Amino acid sequence: MMSKRCLHVFNRSIIQSKCNSRLAHCNTLCRPNPSPQLKPFSSLPARIVQFQTASTTSSLPAFLQFARTQLRNATHRDLLQRSRYSSPRRPPRRPNWLDSINGNVIFVAVIAINAGVFLLWQGAKSTYQTTRDPTLWIFLRNNFLVNWQNITSGRVWTLITSCFSHQDIEHILFNGLSFYFMAPGVMQVLGNSRFLGLYFLGGIASSVTSLVWNRFYKRESNYSSHGASGAILATIAFYACAFPRTRFLIFFVIPCPAWAFLPGILAFDVYRSVTDARTTTDTAGHVGGMLSGISFFLWRVALRR
């Protein structure tokens, strides 16, 4: 009897100790957490909330639909905008005085300079026809045209000044309208200084391509060209790469997406350059301008990764 009573007391003490330990464990769990409180779920970004909702429901089709929707909405423009501040390896670029200027000032200035040089060409033609005075015509030819004689004579600044040169009314109207519609979007993506870098890069690349192609392939040492078409085509090429879903109007009538327009016009100019088509258009310069715009876009994307 004594042993049974001791065994009963011993079992009761074990049960009591277990209850006390469980009670202590519950009290520990119920204590307030001294760590900072987490942000409410509603303050998280919408995409994270959507992803967590899909993962908590453990629904594979819902997750696949979410990923497919996000990939469908992604464009080259989104890539540029998202990756602008995404790379921690590159410090933020210091603003310069060009970027502090209103973009409309740069936009209007480029158009005004092109229009001013065009009026000078028209005045030189009119002066020579009425008075037979070629002074202004010779000045423009030596300073606003790219040819082998100007470069070998040391007038290398024509690679820059020709970026604002037009002679024909059809030429400046087509380039002017293209610049008017494409340049503002490119300036918003790049900023003023990089936009001007793209513009002059396209003009210089166009002029160099025209010089090399006509001098060594066509064997025409007296061929002269303007660099304005190459500069504007570089802007168009960058715009088509950055916004590939934008629709262009061929001859202002036929709609065509940018991702199809750019390869088409590039292949057309390459074909006309190689087949030596008799035309007054500097197709080799067009090719150089478009390739420089595409290269500039790829370079900008590579820097952001």
Side-chain angles (χ1 to χ4, degrees), residues 6 17 52 64 95 139 188 247 250 267 274 305:
C6 291
S17 63
Q52 290 184 353
L64 294 178
F139 171 78
Q188 289 181 1
R247 290 188 179 274
I250 303 176
V274 173
R305 292 183 177 178

mmCIF file of all heavy atoms in Angstrom, residues 6 17 52 64 95 139 188 247 250 267 274 305:
data_model
loop_
_atom_site.group_PDB
_atom_site.id
_atom_site.type_symbol
_atom_site.label_atom_id
_atom_site.label_comp_id
_atom_site.label_asym_id
_atom_site.label_seq_id
_atom_site.Cartn_x
_atom_site.Cartn_y
_atom_site.Cartn_z
ATOM 1 N N CYS A 6 3.152 5.921 -3.040
ATOM 2 C CA CYS A 6 4.334 6.686 -3.503
ATOM 3 C C CYS A 6 4.348 6.795 -5.017
ATOM 4 O O CYS A 6 4.708 7.834 -5.586
ATOM 5 C CB CYS A 6 5.613 6.002 -2.992
ATOM 6 S SG CYS A 6 5.824 6.122 -1.190
ATOM 7 N N SER A 17 4.491 18.866 -13.456
ATOM 8 C CA SER A 17 5.663 19.529 -14.044
ATOM 9 C C SER A 17 5.479 19.742 -15.537
ATOM 10 O O SER A 17 5.867 20.761 -16.103
ATOM 11 C CB SER A 17 6.923 18.701 -13.764
ATOM 12 O OG SER A 17 6.814 17.428 -14.388
ATOM 13 N N GLN A 52 2.578 37.022 -53.734
ATOM 14 C CA GLN A 52 2.369 36.283 -52.501
ATOM 15 C C GLN A 52 0.998 35.628 -52.468
ATOM 16 O O GLN A 52 0.830 34.543 -51.942
ATOM 17 C CB GLN A 52 2.532 37.240 -51.320
ATOM 18 C CG GLN A 52 3.973 37.688 -51.107
ATOM 19 C CD GLN A 52 4.130 38.553 -49.889
ATOM 20 O OE1 GLN A 52 3.122 38.925 -49.278
ATOM 21 N NE2 GLN A 52 5.358 38.872 -49.510
ATOM 22 N N LEU A 64 1.602 30.915 -63.323
ATOM 23 C CA LEU A 64 1.992 31.001 -64.727
ATOM 24 C C LEU A 64 1.273 32.136 -65.438
ATOM 25 O O LEU A 64 1.862 32.833 -66.273
ATOM 26 C CB LEU A 64 1.699 29.665 -65.430
ATOM 27 C CG LEU A 64 2.529 28.470 -64.956
ATOM 28 C CD1 LEU A 64 2.090 27.211 -65.701
ATOM 29 C CD2 LEU A 64 4.011 28.727 -65.185
ATOM 30 N N PRO A 95 24.617 65.838 -63.009
ATOM 31 C CA PRO A 95 23.942 66.629 -64.041
ATOM 32 C C PRO A 95 24.870 67.707 -64.589
ATOM 33 O O PRO A 95 25.658 68.306 -63.859
ATOM 34 C CB PRO A 95 22.750 67.247 -63.288
ATOM 35 C CG PRO A 95 23.177 67.242 -61.857
ATOM 36 C CD PRO A 95 24.050 66.031 -61.676
ATOM 37 N N PHE A 139 31.438 79.107 -100.120
ATOM 38 C CA PHE A 139 31.572 79.049 -98.659
ATOM 39 C C PHE A 139 30.780 77.878 -98.084
ATOM 40 O O PHE A 139 31.287 77.133 -97.228
ATOM 41 C CB PHE A 139 31.091 80.371 -98.046
ATOM 42 C CG PHE A 139 30.991 80.341 -96.559
ATOM 43 C CD1 PHE A 139 32.121 80.464 -95.771
ATOM 44 C CD2 PHE A 139 29.754 80.163 -95.936
ATOM 45 C CE1 PHE A 139 32.023 80.432 -94.381
ATOM 46 C CE2 PHE A 139 29.652 80.126 -94.557
ATOM 47 C CZ PHE A 139 30.792 80.257 -93.774
ATOM 48 N N GLN A 188 13.391 62.351 -74.012
ATOM 49 C CA GLN A 188 12.890 61.972 -72.700
ATOM 50 C C GLN A 188 13.625 60.760 -72.149
ATOM 51 O O GLN A 188 13.829 60.639 -70.944
ATOM 52 C CB GLN A 188 11.392 61.692 -72.776
ATOM 53 C CG GLN A 188 10.545 62.925 -72.985
ATOM 54 C CD GLN A 188 9.059 62.614 -73.030
ATOM 55 O OE1 GLN A 188 8.664 61.461 -72.892
ATOM 56 N NE2 GLN A 188 8.238 63.631 -73.234
ATOM 57 N N ARG A 247 3.766 52.458 -84.184
ATOM 58 C CA ARG A 247 3.423 52.324 -85.602
ATOM 59 C C ARG A 247 3.922 53.538 -86.378
ATOM 60 O O ARG A 247 3.648 54.673 -86.019
ATOM 61 C CB ARG A 247 1.915 52.172 -85.784
ATOM 62 C CG ARG A 247 1.369 50.848 -85.281
ATOM 63 C CD ARG A 247 -0.089 50.666 -85.646
ATOM 64 N NE ARG A 247 -0.593 49.385 -85.190
ATOM 65 C CZ ARG A 247 -0.481 48.248 -85.879
ATOM 66 N NH1 ARG A 247 0.094 48.259 -87.062
ATOM 67 N NH2 ARG A 247 -0.963 47.124 -85.399
ATOM 68 N N ILE A 250 4.302 54.714 -93.391
ATOM 69 C CA ILE A 250 5.131 54.779 -94.591
ATOM 70 C C ILE A 250 4.433 55.657 -95.624
ATOM 71 O O ILE A 250 3.271 55.432 -95.953
ATOM 72 C CB ILE A 250 5.392 53.370 -95.148
ATOM 73 C CG1 ILE A 250 6.043 52.499 -94.064
ATOM 74 C CG2 ILE A 250 6.258 53.430 -96.390
ATOM 75 C CD1 ILE A 250 6.258 51.067 -94.493
ATOM 76 N N ALA A 267 17.453 47.295 -94.924
ATOM 77 C CA ALA A 267 17.731 46.362 -96.025
ATOM 78 C C ALA A 267 17.567 47.041 -97.384
ATOM 79 O O ALA A 267 18.341 46.775 -98.318
ATOM 80 C CB ALA A 267 16.807 45.148 -95.915
ATOM 81 N N VAL A 274 24.578 48.550 -102.646
ATOM 82 C CA VAL A 274 25.372 47.484 -103.248
ATOM 83 C C VAL A 274 25.117 47.381 -104.741
ATOM 84 O O VAL A 274 26.044 47.166 -105.543
ATOM 85 C CB VAL A 274 25.070 46.145 -102.538
ATOM 86 C CG1 VAL A 274 25.744 44.977 -103.257
ATOM 87 C CG2 VAL A 274 25.518 46.219 -101.084
ATOM 88 N N ARG A 305 23.011 47.000 -67.458
ATOM 89 C CA ARG A 305 22.991 45.643 -66.903
ATOM 90 C C ARG A 305 24.146 45.449 -65.943
ATOM 91 O O ARG A 305 25.127 46.126 -66.001
ATOM 92 C CB ARG A 305 23.049 44.606 -68.034
ATOM 93 C CG ARG A 305 21.780 44.607 -68.864
ATOM 94 C CD ARG A 305 21.828 43.533 -69.938
ATOM 95 N NE ARG A 305 20.592 43.480 -70.687
ATOM 96 C CZ ARG A 305 20.373 42.672 -71.696
ATOM 97 N NH1 ARG A 305 21.313 41.825 -72.103
ATOM 98 N NH2 ARG A 305 19.216 42.668 -72.328
#
